[in-house]
Amino acid sequence: MMNAAMQERQVDVLVIGGGTAGPMAAIRAKESDPTLSVLLIEKANVKRSGAISMGMDGLNNAVIPGHSTPEQYVREITIANDGIVNQKAILAYATNSFQMIQRLDKWGVKFEKDETGEYAVKKVHHLGNYVLPMPEGHNVKKILYRQLRKNRVEITNRYKVTRILVDDQGRAAGVVAVDTRTAEITIIKARAVILCTGAAGRLGLPSSGYLFGTYENPTNAGDGHAMAFHAGAELSGIECYQINPLIKDYNGPACAYVTGPLGGYTANAHGERFIECDYWSGQMMLEFFKELQGGNGPVFLKVNHLAEETISTIENILHTNERPSRGRFHANRGTNYRHDMIEMHISEIGLCSGHSASGIWVNERAQTTIKGLYAAGDAACVPHNYMLGAFVYGEIAGVEAANYCKGVPFSEYDADYVEREVARIRAPLGKVGGITPYQAEYKIRRLVNDYLQPPKVTKKMEIALHRFAEIREDLSQMTAEDPHNLLRALEVYDILDCAEMAATASLYRTESRWGLYHYRVDHPEKDDEDWFCHVQLFKDERGEKACKSIPVEPYVYEPNDHEKQAYDKLRILTKEMA
Amino acid sequence: MATTNMKVKVPVTVDADKCIAAKGCTVCVDVCPLDVLIIDMEKGVALMQYDECWYCTPCEVDCPTQAVTVDIPYLLK
């Protein structure tokens, strides 16, 4: 029942997450119909939230006329993601890629251009040219913020959305949210809800053991993945984990996309190349993993053969953009790009469609399987979508949601469900002497490393599910002494949901695919006969995590025969191998 | 179960001489994605309350008086 400390309000379009896709969704929803009330709700602060909090050093998937075509891009990502793609969704990105670059350019985002003013596109992918550097890309968030203000999008910071409310017709009806500084709970009714919550970045434990030293912005704990699951939406490709090659310990990108076009490359301990292409794919990561584990390991980023001015350029980009504290990390250890190779390692696992493929299932209109619920960005399953894909799908979701709103009334939510959710939210505040969120999180994520990190082994993943179930029972003893720790406690539930989803989907697909991302030691071969399909994860009638397969829709563009194996042959052949 | 407090060295430090939190500034607290900074009302200085740092540096970069320094957390330094 309504409690005195609980607020209720309503908006037409509610966008959850103010990082990359979220601001774009909110701006474009408001632009398409200024009469709509649009609320952007953010767990941190929109000014500096999300994956691009400190900017971005380049576009990894720019489809620019004269350099590449949408058709080429769709083919490349189809091969890079081992065939398991909804090409229509990738095509929707590719056809809108260039107009989005132009929109961002007009807003003031700086892209590298040559002396004639043309975009200076570089080659990093195996086949085509899609990388557009942004050496002055540190101010993307400021530019987005300006557009949010200009379009009068309402912003609410420091709220964690905990659940999506669904009406008896199965339509999104709103959300439950909690103020992370006061623990006050608000029910927000909405005609349409857009999930832009980013990656599940706090899933694996970084090898440093520091919970927040993750590759992804650790604010992104997989809230959206968990919320979509509990609302009854399907997720897809969860077994295609994100694992990235990173600067060891620092756990940020090295960053081959920046250094590659300037002559840098990934090398083994002898300073030799061992992969043909530094573009991040599961197949590339498998070769990286083998080299790391083998006698020629570990793996390094090599730029020390380059000229002084080139190295200065690299430092200038890497130490001012995206993860600018790289510079002080190297300085602490006395690592100098001029003399030293930079030791690399692989990241903890995560769920992130920006780099791999796992996320909330969406079609080419950013619609999830729940009416009125949309998803965009790293949280939504559009493989290899990166920052520009987040912007494009944010736009698609915003415009679609605005249109959808016109035809639908506000729905009623289930008051009993809300009551149970309020009890779940408040439970840790009343406990004394229980398990702290820190301990619960550490334990779950340590088990993720022990049992889920590839190479995947069936029995290990079964043990993981068993242990996760035990921990779920422990969570009733979780304690939070203040609203901040309540936030962390609620995130522990999201992290546990994501861990269970990762194990469940991985167990379901009894083959190996996507190189290291889904390398199952006891099912080592790719099996196109049985597993050329999407694996959808959903909530079954008992409320448990379950999977089913759905066919891959017929391709719009069939990959060329001579290109199909391109990503399977990434290792450079030595003389002996040849 | 009983609980205890474990002390750790935190990566964000604030120069009390430069910090203008006493004049109402909350920039570093506002921009932190993980909400780990607070204002010590008695001293009028910002401080790191929770050891949950992504060493992302908006608190340092956006500080109007260059009072904030972000170090790499010791576990991964």
Side-chain angles (χ1 to χ4, degrees):
Chain A
M1 293 307 96
M2 287 303 282
N3 185 304
M6 213 157 79
Q7 314 254 344
E8 182 169 319
R9 59 169 303 189
Q10 62 181 44
V11 294
D12 294 315
V13 179
L14 176 69
V15 183
I16 307 170
T20 311
M24 186 60 74
I27 292 163
R28 296 294 287 132
K30 193 75 181 168
E31 273 184 352
S32 24
D33 184 353
T35 66
L36 292 176
S37 57
V38 177
L39 174 64
L40 178 58
I41 192 165
E42 162 63 46
K43 196 160 71 168
N45 184 312
V46 172
K47 281 184 182 168
R48 285 294 196 184
S49 59
I52 60 167
S53 124
M54 290 301 284
M56 187 49 70
D57 51 29
L59 298 177
N60 297 334
N61 52 349
V63 184
I64 297 179
H67 297 280
S68 60
T69 64
E71 181 178 339
Q72 285 171 332
Y73 179 78
V74 170
R75 287 203 174 110
E76 176 116 22
I77 298 306
T78 300
I79 304 163
N81 204 52
D82 237 338
I84 311 299
V85 292
N86 174 8
Q87 279 199 342
K88 275 194 206 147
I90 295 176
L91 183 58
Y93 160 71
T95 34
N96 286 294
S97 174
F98 186 54
Q99 65 88 9
M100 181 54 72
I101 296 170
Q102 290 174 305
R103 176 185 297 277
L104 294 167
D105 197 332
K106 205 169 78 191
W107 285 357
V109 176
K110 289 207 170 72
F111 300 104
E112 189 167 313
K113 293 178 181 166
D114 67 17
E115 57 279 7
T116 65
E118 298 286 336
Y119 292 115
V121 177
K122 314 283 182 197
K123 181 172 165 67
V124 173
H125 292 60
H126 215 30
L127 304 171
N129 306 311
Y130 307 104
V131 170
L132 178 57
M134 299 165 62
E136 296 170 77
H138 49 269
N139 56 357
V140 184
K141 288 292 287 185
K142 286 206 170 77
I143 289 163
L144 287 174
Y145 196 73
R146 214 178 294 142
Q147 291 295 326
L148 284 166
R149 304 312 288 186
K150 190 177 143 200
N151 286 285
R152 300 197 182 148
V153 171
E154 191 190 343
I155 296 168
T156 299
N157 291 314
R158 304 294 175 192
Y159 266 84
K160 183 200 182 336
V161 179
T162 66
R163 286 289 183 265
I164 295 159
L165 300 172
V166 179
D167 73 6
D168 55 7
Q169 306 296 307
R171 285 191 312 143
V175 302
V176 181
V178 56
D179 185 317
T180 65
R181 289 183 175 171
T182 64
E184 194 173 301
I185 296 170
T186 303
I187 311 293
I188 307 169
K189 292 177 73 171
R191 291 182 215 266
V193 176
I194 306 176
L195 278 170
C196 302
T197 46
R202 253 160 63 210
L203 186 53
L205 182 66
S207 45
S208 67
Y210 190 63
L211 281 184
F212 293 79
T214 46
Y215 167 69
E216 293 290 343
N217 183 328
T219 317
N220 299 340
D223 310 37
H225 297 72
M227 283 191 278
F229 168 77
H230 287 289
E234 288 178 18
L235 294 97
S236 189
I238 297 298
E239 70 281 17
C240 179
Y241 300 164
Q242 165 180 246
I243 304 167
N244 293 329
L246 305 174
I247 297 171
K248 187 172 187 306
D249 298 339
Y250 179 75
N251 229 16
C255 176
Y257 296 4
V258 171
T259 57
L262 295 168
Y265 57 87
T266 308
N268 60 23
H270 308 298
E272 294 161 351
R273 286 180 198 260
F274 62 94
I275 39 178
E276 288 189 5
C277 164
D278 281 331
Y279 179 70
W280 293 0
S281 63
Q283 298 87 328
M284 177 272 209
M285 279 311 302
L286 184 59
E287 297 305 336
F288 192 106
F289 174 75
K290 286 178 184 165
E291 202 74 359
L292 204 56
Q293 303 291 328
N296 292 324
V299 174
F300 298 85
L301 175 72
K302 182 170 163 55
V303 293
N304 57 6
H305 55 290
L306 301 175
E308 169 58 34
E309 53 267 37
T310 310
I311 291 177
S312 299
T313 303
I314 289 171
E315 280 180 338
N316 194 34
I317 299 169
L318 292 183
H319 302 170
T320 59
N321 259 310
E322 192 180 0
R323 301 304 312 277
S325 58
R326 269 181 285 229
R328 63 194 71 171
F329 172 79
H330 292 315
N332 283 333
R333 295 188 175 189
T335 309
N336 187 324
Y337 286 10
R338 282 152 197 82
H339 316 295
D340 308 302
M341 297 200 296
I342 298 118
E343 187 182 355
M344 295 176 72
H345 197 65
I346 58 175
S347 69
E348 66 284 354
I349 68 163
L351 307 177
C352 173
S353 83
H355 298 97
S356 54
S358 32
I360 302 155
W361 178 254
V362 291
N363 62 11
E364 66 277 14
R365 295 169 65 189
Q367 295 167 319
T368 69
T369 55
I370 289 183
K371 222 167 165 38
L373 180 65
Y374 301 80
D378 281 346
C381 175
V382 183
H384 296 232
N385 223 11
Y386 289 98
M387 178 179 74
L388 196 57
F391 282 136
V392 167
Y393 265 85
E395 169 172 63
I396 293 172
V399 173
E400 288 281 346
N403 286 335
Y404 170 82
C405 275
K406 287 177 190 137
V408 296
F410 285 98
S411 302
E412 287 310 312
Y413 56 81
D414 179 348
D416 292 342
Y417 181 86
V418 170
E419 200 175 341
R420 288 196 302 277
E421 176 58 6
V422 168
R424 183 183 76 98
I425 292 172
R426 288 185 176 149
L429 285 172
K431 291 271 175 344
V432 180
I435 299 156
T436 65
Y438 170 80
Q439 286 177 306
E441 178 171 344
Y442 195 97
K443 188 161 176 171
I444 296 164
R445 291 174 59 190
R446 193 265 299 170
L447 292 171
V448 165
N449 282 21
D450 283 355
Y451 294 116
L452 303 189
Q453 172 112 15
K456 301 179 186 178
V457 178
T458 301
K459 187 65 190 172
K460 281 184 167 181
M461 294 190 285
E462 289 169 356
I463 295 171
L465 282 173
H466 189 70
R467 301 299 314 276
F468 293 152
E470 290 169 355
I471 293 174
R472 190 169 284 283
E473 287 187 15
D474 297 343
L475 295 191
S476 62
Q477 295 308 309
M478 202 157 46
T479 176
E481 60 193 0
D482 57 19
H484 180 87
N485 274 296
L486 179 63
L487 161 67
R488 295 287 174 251
L490 293 168
E491 287 172 338
V492 167
Y493 282 101
D494 299 333
I495 292 165
L496 184 58
D497 276 328
C498 288
E500 289 179 342
M501 286 194 266
T504 306
S506 294
L507 278 166
Y508 186 79
R509 185 183 280 279
T510 50
E511 63 150 0
S512 287
R513 193 174 290 268
W514 303 293
L516 185 63
Y517 299 164
H518 185 64
Y519 174 38
R520 284 191 71 170
V521 181
D522 38 357
H523 298 280
E525 301 299 326
K526 182 156 83 180
D527 176 6
D528 274 335
E529 199 134 304
D530 292 326
W531 290 105
F532 189 78
C533 58
H534 302 281
V535 169
Q536 307 294 100
L537 188 137
F538 63 98
K539 189 166 78 171
D540 70 12
E541 55 285 353
R542 296 168 303 133
E544 302 290 323
K545 292 163 181 88
C547 289
K548 64 179 181 185
S549 62
I550 60 167
V552 174
E553 289 287 313
Y555 286 158
V556 184
Y557 303 116
E558 191 65 36
N560 298 321
D561 275 339
H562 66 278
E563 291 174 354
K564 273 183 181 166
Q565 308 300 321
Y567 279 78
D568 294 332
K569 293 177 180 160
L570 284 173
R571 178 162 285 272
I572 289 175
L573 296 181
T574 60
K575 274 184 207 139
E576 303 84 71
M577 288 161 82
Chain B
M1 207 183 337
T3 55
T4 183
N5 289 320
M6 186 173 72
K7 282 205 171 184
V8 289
K9 185 182 183 333
V10 293
V12 177
T13 49
V14 180
D15 184 336
D17 293 337
K18 291 185 185 166
C19 180
I20 52 168
K23 293 181 182 150
C25 180
T26 58
V27 168
C28 60
V29 176
D30 293 342
V31 295
C32 174
L34 292 148
D35 210 10
V36 301
L37 303 170
I38 58 160
I39 306 293
D40 180 333
M41 295 311 266
E42 272 177 30
K43 294 180 186 152
V45 176
L47 82 117
M48 189 169 182
Q49 166 93 332
Y50 305 96
D51 181 27
E52 300 165 346
C53 182
W54 193 43
Y55 38 104
C56 55
T57 71
C59 56
E60 180 181 305
V61 174
D62 294 349
C63 173
T65 60
Q66 287 87 48
V68 181
T69 307
V70 177
D71 201 355
I72 304 294
Y74 182 71
L75 288 186
L76 48 127
K77 196 171 178 175

